[in-house]
Amino acid sequence: DAGITQSPRHKVTETGTPVTLRCHQTENHRYMYWYRQDPGHGLRLIHYSYGVKDTDKGEVSDGYSVSRSKTEDFLLTLESATSSQTSVYFCAISQQGDTEAFFGQGTRLTVV
Amino acid sequence: GNSVTQMEGPVTLSEEAFLTINCTYTATGYPSLFWYVQYPGEGLQLLLKATKADDKGSNKGFEATYRKETTSFHLEKGSVQVSDSAVYFCALRGGSARQLTFGSGTQLTVLP
């Protein structure tokens, strides 16, 4: 299995509070991604990174920011959590932009 | 833009039945195609892939053939087992896109 660790695995937070999710990899892959999974929508891309300090938006980036200060870590921040951000968040990595991606175990976030 | 359409679920089969899950796509250029599987409470695992037209991906008894003329990548298995119960996602990575585009997923339940 690819070395990808997401933390925390579960979190409950209140509306309006900031939340940071962490993805850590030990594979030295260049690309890292954050997806959210919601019933009926499959997985939708939030943000991705193609190198240290290089990031770009996905299709559902509003309300989220990311940072990648070193190869192994990719942080996803919800500046002010809303109930619509209740979801399961998956981190993924890939070696190149055109190869398969490997996924972490997911973080279940509940905003109350 | 890129898109993936999967057959709606849920799909319920008896053990040893034949499985087909339909997947069609829209993409510019020559995309790579993937099937991922998600077991309950886990992240997504790559099941198989095909990177060019007429390629057949296969793994664990599952197969899918990249059909450019019909823009399809249907997943098949000749004899399903209870342990195949999971959610299956079709995905593509196309052209200059650096991210995967997923279908909405198909829930498969296999009964003994």
Side-chain angles (χ1 to χ4, degrees):
Chain A
D1 289 344
I4 309 169
T5 305
Q6 290 186 232
S7 58
R9 292 293 313 280
H10 302 271
K11 186 170 182 66
V12 180
T13 192
E14 293 187 348
T15 298
T17 60
V19 177
T20 296
L21 308 183
R22 180 180 183 241
C23 178
H24 178 78
Q25 62 145 330
T26 58
E27 305 296 321
N28 200 36
H29 283 2
R30 180 181 174 192
Y31 290 82
M32 298 186 76
Y33 311 82
W34 278 108
Y35 288 87
R36 60 178 289 174
Q37 183 180 25
D38 303 290
H41 291 279
L43 278 79
R44 293 178 292 174
L45 182 69
I46 305 171
H47 283 279
Y48 68 98
S49 169
Y50 46 98
V52 174
K53 293 187 170 45
D54 292 324
T55 65
D56 205 351
K57 296 179 180 180
E59 63 176 300
V60 291
S61 59
D62 288 348
Y64 301 94
S65 63
V66 290
S67 67
R68 190 168 179 200
S69 59
K70 43 187 178 176
T71 300
E72 56 266 36
D73 289 326
F74 193 33
L75 304 180
L76 177 70
T77 297
L78 291 66
E79 301 291 346
S80 178
T82 67
S83 58
S84 65
Q85 294 175 313
T86 292
S87 186
V88 181
Y89 291 85
F90 285 99
C91 175
I93 64 173
S94 66
Q95 200 161 29
Q96 303 294 336
D98 58 353
T99 56
E100 64 266 31
F102 300 95
F103 284 78
Q105 294 290 87
T107 294
R108 182 172 295 277
L109 176 67
T110 302
V111 183
V112 298
Chain B
N2 297 337
S3 67
V4 175
T5 303
Q6 275 183 247
M7 66 183 284
E8 301 248 343
V11 174
T12 302
L13 296 173
S14 297
E15 204 165 26
E16 299 184 1
F18 184 85
L19 168 71
T20 300
I21 301 178
N22 291 336
C23 171
T24 57
Y25 67 89
T26 301
T28 55
Y30 301 94
S32 295
L33 302 173
F34 306 88
W35 277 100
Y36 282 85
V37 57
Q38 183 179 33
Y39 298 102
E42 298 186 9
L44 278 72
Q45 302 174 25
L46 179 67
L47 181 59
L48 54 84
K49 67 177 182 180
T51 58
K52 61 183 187 295
D54 300 324
D55 268 2
K56 178 185 283 187
S58 61
N59 185 27
K60 299 181 181 179
F62 291 89
E63 294 183 339
T65 301
Y66 188 157
R67 301 286 190 201
K68 190 166 178 62
E69 64 276 13
T70 55
T71 61
S72 65
F73 193 54
H74 305 321
L75 182 68
E76 297 182 335
K77 187 175 186 182
S79 176
V80 294
Q81 306 300 311
V82 172
S83 58
D84 294 327
S85 297
V87 181
Y88 292 82
F89 291 93
C90 185
L92 72 82
R93 194 193 291 279
S96 60
R98 290 166 165 161
Q99 65 268 27
L100 286 164
T101 300
F102 284 88
S104 57
T106 302
Q107 172 78 55
L108 170 67
T109 301
V110 181
L111 303 176

